[in-house]
PDB file of all heavy atoms in Angstrom:
ATOM      1  N   PHE T 254    -240.107   2.044 -90.292  1.00  0.00           N
ATOM      2  CA  PHE T 254    -239.695   2.397 -91.673  1.00  0.00           C
ATOM      3  C   PHE T 254    -240.876   2.596 -92.523  1.00  0.00           C
ATOM      4  O   PHE T 254    -242.033   2.135 -92.242  1.00  0.00           O
ATOM      5  CB  PHE T 254    -238.796   1.326 -92.276  1.00  0.00           C
ATOM      6  CG  PHE T 254    -239.382  -0.066 -92.241  1.00  0.00           C
ATOM      7  CD1 PHE T 254    -240.240  -0.525 -93.302  1.00  0.00           C
ATOM      8  CD2 PHE T 254    -239.082  -0.910 -91.202  1.00  0.00           C
ATOM      9  CE1 PHE T 254    -240.754  -1.772 -93.298  1.00  0.00           C
ATOM     10  CE2 PHE T 254    -239.688  -2.182 -91.212  1.00  0.00           C
ATOM     11  CZ  PHE T 254    -240.508  -2.607 -92.243  1.00  0.00           C
ATOM     12  N   LYS T 255    -240.736   3.303 -93.652  1.00  0.00           N
ATOM     13  CA  LYS T 255    -241.771   3.602 -94.595  1.00  0.00           C
ATOM     14  C   LYS T 255    -241.668   2.584 -95.760  1.00  0.00           C
ATOM     15  O   LYS T 255    -240.679   2.562 -96.485  1.00  0.00           O
ATOM     16  CB  LYS T 255    -241.648   4.978 -95.185  1.00  0.00           C
ATOM     17  CG  LYS T 255    -241.604   6.094 -94.148  1.00  0.00           C
ATOM     18  CD  LYS T 255    -242.947   6.334 -93.487  1.00  0.00           C
ATOM     19  CE  LYS T 255    -242.878   7.543 -92.560  1.00  0.00           C
ATOM     20  NZ  LYS T 255    -244.157   7.829 -91.884  1.00  0.00           N
ATOM     21  N   PRO T 256    -242.640   1.674 -95.907  1.00  0.00           N
ATOM     22  CA  PRO T 256    -242.501   0.686 -96.935  1.00  0.00           C
ATOM     23  C   PRO T 256    -242.842   1.134 -98.372  1.00  0.00           C
ATOM     24  O   PRO T 256    -242.516   0.458 -99.307  1.00  0.00           O
ATOM     25  CB  PRO T 256    -243.512  -0.374 -96.455  1.00  0.00           C
ATOM     26  CG  PRO T 256    -244.567   0.405 -95.751  1.00  0.00           C
ATOM     27  CD  PRO T 256    -243.818   1.533 -95.120  1.00  0.00           C
ATOM     28  N   ASN T 257    -243.533   2.286 -98.447  1.00  0.00           N
ATOM     29  CA  ASN T 257    -244.029   2.687 -99.780  1.00  0.00           C
ATOM     30  C   ASN T 257    -243.525   4.150-100.006  1.00  0.00           C
ATOM     31  O   ASN T 257    -243.945   5.037 -99.294  1.00  0.00           O
ATOM     32  CB  ASN T 257    -245.591   2.711 -99.765  1.00  0.00           C
ATOM     33  CG  ASN T 257    -246.145   3.040-101.117  1.00  0.00           C
ATOM     34  OD1 ASN T 257    -245.494   3.524-102.059  1.00  0.00           O
ATOM     35  ND2 ASN T 257    -247.444   2.777-101.327  1.00  0.00           N
ATOM     36  N   PRO T 258    -242.730   4.358-101.026  1.00  0.00           N
ATOM     37  CA  PRO T 258    -242.181   5.683-101.288  1.00  0.00           C
ATOM     38  C   PRO T 258    -243.256   6.685-101.739  1.00  0.00           C
ATOM     39  O   PRO T 258    -243.031   7.891-101.685  1.00  0.00           O
ATOM     40  CB  PRO T 258    -241.153   5.469-102.425  1.00  0.00           C
ATOM     41  CG  PRO T 258    -241.555   4.196-103.083  1.00  0.00           C
ATOM     42  CD  PRO T 258    -242.166   3.358-101.968  1.00  0.00           C
ATOM     43  N   ASN T 259    -244.423   6.211-102.107  1.00  0.00           N
ATOM     44  CA  ASN T 259    -245.477   7.063-102.657  1.00  0.00           C
ATOM     45  C   ASN T 259    -246.540   7.401-101.571  1.00  0.00           C
ATOM     46  O   ASN T 259    -247.528   8.034-101.798  1.00  0.00           O
ATOM     47  CB  ASN T 259    -246.177   6.434-103.825  1.00  0.00           C
ATOM     48  CG  ASN T 259    -245.262   6.242-105.004  1.00  0.00           C
ATOM     49  OD1 ASN T 259    -244.406   7.082-105.322  1.00  0.00           O
ATOM     50  ND2 ASN T 259    -245.316   5.020-105.592  1.00  0.00           N
ATOM     51  N   ASP T 260    -246.303   6.841-100.317  1.00  0.00           N
ATOM     52  CA  ASP T 260    -247.230   7.102 -99.294  1.00  0.00           C
ATOM     53  C   ASP T 260    -246.518   7.231 -97.924  1.00  0.00           C
ATOM     54  O   ASP T 260    -246.266   6.142 -97.296  1.00  0.00           O
ATOM     55  CB  ASP T 260    -248.291   5.925 -99.177  1.00  0.00           C
ATOM     56  CG  ASP T 260    -249.464   6.292 -98.276  1.00  0.00           C
ATOM     57  OD1 ASP T 260    -249.349   7.310 -97.544  1.00  0.00           O
ATOM     58  OD2 ASP T 260    -250.449   5.536 -98.286  1.00  0.00           O
ATOM     59  N   ASP T 261    -246.196   8.414 -97.523  1.00  0.00           N
ATOM     60  CA  ASP T 261    -245.452   8.612 -96.274  1.00  0.00           C
ATOM     61  C   ASP T 261    -246.377   8.522 -95.035  1.00  0.00           C
ATOM     62  O   ASP T 261    -245.919   8.603 -93.890  1.00  0.00           O
ATOM     63  CB  ASP T 261    -244.852  10.012 -96.274  1.00  0.00           C
ATOM     64  CG  ASP T 261    -243.563  10.055 -97.067  1.00  0.00           C
ATOM     65  OD1 ASP T 261    -242.972   8.955 -97.279  1.00  0.00           O
ATOM     66  OD2 ASP T 261    -243.140  11.140 -97.441  1.00  0.00           O
ATOM     67  N   ASN T 262    -247.632   8.254 -95.269  1.00  0.00           N
ATOM     68  CA  ASN T 262    -248.608   8.071 -94.145  1.00  0.00           C
ATOM     69  C   ASN T 262    -248.584   6.712 -93.570  1.00  0.00           C
ATOM     70  O   ASN T 262    -249.207   6.462 -92.549  1.00  0.00           O
ATOM     71  CB  ASN T 262    -249.975   8.482 -94.613  1.00  0.00           C
ATOM     72  CG  ASN T 262    -250.197   9.934 -94.976  1.00  0.00           C
ATOM     73  OD1 ASN T 262    -249.540  10.780 -94.348  1.00  0.00           O
ATOM     74  ND2 ASN T 262    -250.875  10.212 -96.019  1.00  0.00           N
ATOM     75  N   VAL T 263    -247.910   5.798 -94.274  1.00  0.00           N
ATOM     76  CA  VAL T 263    -247.843   4.376 -93.801  1.00  0.00           C
ATOM     77  C   VAL T 263    -246.497   4.092 -93.202  1.00  0.00           C
ATOM     78  O   VAL T 263    -245.440   4.364 -93.805  1.00  0.00           O
ATOM     79  CB  VAL T 263    -248.110   3.429 -94.995  1.00  0.00           C
ATOM     80  CG1 VAL T 263    -247.992   1.962 -94.518  1.00  0.00           C
ATOM     81  CG2 VAL T 263    -249.506   3.652 -95.549  1.00  0.00           C
ATOM     82  N   THR T 264    -246.500   3.573 -92.004  1.00  0.00           N
ATOM     83  CA  THR T 264    -245.265   3.148 -91.309  1.00  0.00           C
ATOM     84  C   THR T 264    -245.370   1.729 -90.804  1.00  0.00           C
ATOM     85  O   THR T 264    -246.374   1.438 -90.140  1.00  0.00           O
ATOM     86  CB  THR T 264    -244.933   4.095 -90.151  1.00  0.00           C
ATOM     87  OG1 THR T 264    -244.842   5.471 -90.605  1.00  0.00           O
ATOM     88  CG2 THR T 264    -243.716   3.701 -89.418  1.00  0.00           C
ATOM     89  N   ASP T 265    -244.407   0.906 -91.116  1.00  0.00           N
ATOM     90  CA  ASP T 265    -244.342  -0.480 -90.592  1.00  0.00           C
ATOM     91  C   ASP T 265    -243.474  -0.483 -89.404  1.00  0.00           C
ATOM     92  O   ASP T 265    -242.445   0.272 -89.321  1.00  0.00           O
ATOM     93  CB  ASP T 265    -243.887  -1.437 -91.670  1.00  0.00           C
ATOM     94  CG  ASP T 265    -245.024  -1.767 -92.666  1.00  0.00           C
ATOM     95  OD1 ASP T 265    -246.145  -1.297 -92.470  1.00  0.00           O
ATOM     96  OD2 ASP T 265    -244.727  -2.448 -93.668  1.00  0.00           O
TER      97      ASP T 265
END
Side-chain angles (χ1 to χ4, degrees):
F254 54 86
K255 306 287 186 181
N257 187 347
N259 299 316
D260 191 350
D261 282 340
N262 295 321
V263 177
T264 300
D265 283 354

